[in-house]
């Protein structure tokens, strides 16, 4: 844990704060989904319609694909924007919406995106999406030189950020290797005053270890985290180490964080390899939390109960992600939240 100087008149809001919209990207590249594009499109249209029952939903979708999406939406109130993305993981390449102290003005922080260390070409359209949205919404955009994915960071809305060494110090992100330098950049670009570092992520995570599979703030002073499974599990050592680190974190006024553990799903395999499935990859909306499920009802009843304790007053809803997880992500990865103005 390291503290850096506060900066800027904008802050990165917490996801439980009031939202104006949630953004998604519509999949169009059949090769990415190995014969299951139609099924995944049906599921994502259901997700958009479900989210639209709680707030404004905006989807990046090229004009030639919009009629097909509208048919699937069956009249659900979803706004479509004519932009073609390379992939669907809007959390990682979408804009980071920042808000000023009076909640009267939005600003977009646009960091470089290189497909998690140049793993999956092409990515130029994804890299350009944040600035394009800024132009579309007529918002000021600050462009950063460093690579940063939205799924790699978790903020409590009060200047404290959770992240992992496995991602932000990784040389495949093409930049800074020292914690102090990374923290300086986060302070300058996102108004962060304190960075809390976890170590490694899930062993099977193509992102190298995004925080949104590992730990989430659910209050300014409370962290929900992935519980270490049995010692034979490939993620045991990393998750046990992360738990020890969280136990040693303190808030800006010196108190320990409230901690609540959330189990991992039983392992899910694709072509003999374990997938990076996590119930932490949930999506917070106005009045609801949508939680990824993986066909494990006995465990998932307990998972929904625990998340419900963290977000009282919101509807807690499971959403089937068994097909979506085969491409490496779930609900949080698919989405990017836009803060509301007063």
């Amino acid at each position: 844990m390291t503290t850096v100087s506060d900066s800027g008149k904008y802050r990165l809001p917490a996801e439980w704060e009031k939202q104006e919209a949630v953004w998604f990207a519509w999949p169009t590249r059949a090769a990415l989904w190995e014969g299951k594009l139609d099924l995944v499109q049906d599921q994502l249209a259901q997700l958009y319609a479900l989210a639209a029952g709680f707030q404004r939903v905006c989807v990046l979708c090229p004009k030639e694909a919009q009629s097909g999406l509208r048919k699937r939406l069956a009249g659900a109130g979803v706004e479509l924007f004519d932009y073609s993305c390379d992939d669907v993981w809007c959390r990682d390449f979408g804009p980071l919406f920042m808000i000023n102290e009076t909640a009267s003005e939005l600003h977009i922080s646009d960091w470089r995106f290189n497909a998690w260390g140049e793993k999956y070409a092409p990515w130029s359209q994804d890299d350009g999406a944040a600035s394009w949205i800024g132009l579309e919404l007529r918002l000021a955009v600050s462009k950063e030189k460093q690579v940063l994915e939205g799924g790699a960071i978790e903020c409590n809305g009060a200047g404290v950020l959770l992240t992992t060494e496995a991602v932000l110090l990784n040389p495949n992100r093409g930049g800074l290797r020292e914690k102090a330098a990374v923290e300086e950049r986060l302070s300058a670009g996102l108004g962060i005053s304190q960075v809390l570092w976890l170590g490694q992520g899930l062993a099977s995570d193509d992102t190298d270890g995004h925080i949104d599979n590992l730990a989430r703030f659910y209050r300014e002073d409370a962290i929900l985290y992935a519980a270490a499974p049995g010692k034979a599990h490939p993620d045991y050592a990393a998750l046990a180490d992360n738990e020890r680190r969280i136990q040693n974190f303190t808030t800006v006024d010196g108190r320990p964080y409230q901690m609540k553990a959330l189990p991992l799903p039983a392992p899910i395999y694709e072509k003999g390899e374990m997938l990076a499935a996590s119930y932490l990859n949930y999506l917070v909306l106005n009045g609801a939390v949508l939680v990824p499920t993986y066909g494990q009802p006995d465990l998932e009843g307990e998972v929904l109960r625990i998340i419900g304790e963290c977000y009282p007053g919101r509807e807690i809803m499971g959403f089937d992600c068994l097909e979506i997880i085969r491409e490496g992500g779930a609900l949080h990865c698919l989405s990017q939240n836009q803060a509301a103005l007063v």
Side-chain angles (χ1 to χ4, degrees), residues 23-25 60 88-95 133 333-336:
W23 289 78
F24 296 96
L60 299 173
V88 295
W89 310 117
C90 195
R91 176 66 53 177
D92 289 346
F93 60 75
I133 290 172
C333 300
L334 290 166
S335 59
Q336 182 58 268

Side-chain angles (χ1 to χ4, degrees), residues 253-295:
D253 58 359
R255 294 176 292 113
Y257 280 89
Q258 295 293 309
M259 298 172 59
K260 191 179 288 287
L262 194 69
L264 287 179
I268 303 167
Y269 293 91
E270 174 77 359
K271 297 179 180 178
E273 295 189 6
M274 192 171 72
L275 301 175
S278 171
Y279 296 116
L280 273 297
N281 209 281
Y282 56 79
L283 170 59
V284 180
L285 300 171
N286 297 332
V289 182
L290 307 185
V291 182
T293 58
Y294 307 103

Side-chain angles (χ1 to χ4, degrees), residues 233-265:
H233 193 286
D235 291 312
Y236 170 77
L239 297 185
D241 176 64
N242 286 340
E243 181 175 359
R244 286 191 292 268
R245 294 189 189 211
I246 295 170
Q247 288 170 342
N248 290 321
F249 292 158
T250 56
T251 64
V252 291
D253 58 359
R255 294 176 292 113
Y257 280 89
Q258 295 293 309
M259 298 172 59
K260 191 179 288 287
L262 194 69
L264 287 179

Side-chain angles (χ1 to χ4, degrees), residues 66-290:
Q66 290 185 5
S67 62
L69 173 52
R70 289 195 187 281
K71 288 178 183 177
R72 285 178 164 91
L73 289 169
V78 173
E79 296 180 47
L80 307 186
F81 291 76
D82 182 15
Y83 188 87
S84 180
C85 296
D86 299 301
D87 212 335
V88 295
W89 310 117
C90 195
R91 176 66 53 177
D92 289 346
F93 60 75
L96 296 177
F97 289 97
M98 300 180 67
I99 196 165
N100 66 352
E101 293 178 357
T102 60
S104 61
E105 183 178 319
L106 284 181
H107 178 87
I108 284 177
S109 184
D110 177 16
W111 299 68
R112 287 179 53 222
F113 176 75
N114 73 347
W116 313 282
E118 302 186 357
K119 291 186 178 78
Y120 303 105
W123 61 80
S124 60
Q125 286 294 105
D126 288 350
D127 188 36
S131 286
W132 187 91
I133 290 172
L135 288 172
E136 191 74 11
L137 299 183
R138 299 182 181 180
L139 296 177
V141 177
S142 60
K143 293 186 71 68
E144 298 288 337
K145 295 181 180 179
Q146 296 301 127
V147 171
L148 180 69
E149 302 106 35
I153 57 173
E154 169 75 11
C155 188
N156 74 346
V160 180
L161 184 143
L162 267 170
T163 191
T164 64
E165 296 165 355
V167 175
L168 265 63
L169 302 182
N170 197 315
N172 68 9
R173 292 330 196 254
L176 306 172
R177 296 292 307 279
E178 300 295 329
K179 284 185 179 179
V182 173
E183 291 165 350
E184 268 186 43
R185 195 62 253 143
L186 294 170
S187 176
L190 297 176
I192 298 302
S193 58
Q194 187 181 60
V195 179
L196 305 176
W197 293 90
L198 297 186
Q200 300 299 308
L202 300 182
S204 52
D205 191 346
D206 285 348
T207 71
D208 301 309
H210 271 184
I211 194 71
D212 60 2
N213 280 331
L214 305 173
R216 306 282 299 275
F217 287 112
Y218 62 94
R219 295 196 315 264
E220 284 187 15
D221 63 350
I223 297 172
L224 181 65
Y225 67 95
K231 290 185 177 181
H233 193 286
D235 291 312
Y236 170 77
L239 297 185
D241 176 64
N242 286 340
E243 181 175 359
R244 286 191 292 268
R245 294 189 189 211
I246 295 170
Q247 288 170 342
N248 290 321
F249 292 158
T250 56
T251 64
V252 291
D253 58 359
R255 294 176 292 113
Y257 280 89
Q258 295 293 309
M259 298 172 59
K260 191 179 288 287
L262 194 69
L264 287 179
I268 303 167
Y269 293 91
E270 174 77 359
K271 297 179 180 178
E273 295 189 6
M274 192 171 72
L275 301 175
S278 171
Y279 296 116
L280 273 297
N281 209 281
Y282 56 79
L283 170 59
V284 180
L285 300 171
N286 297 332
V289 182
L290 307 185

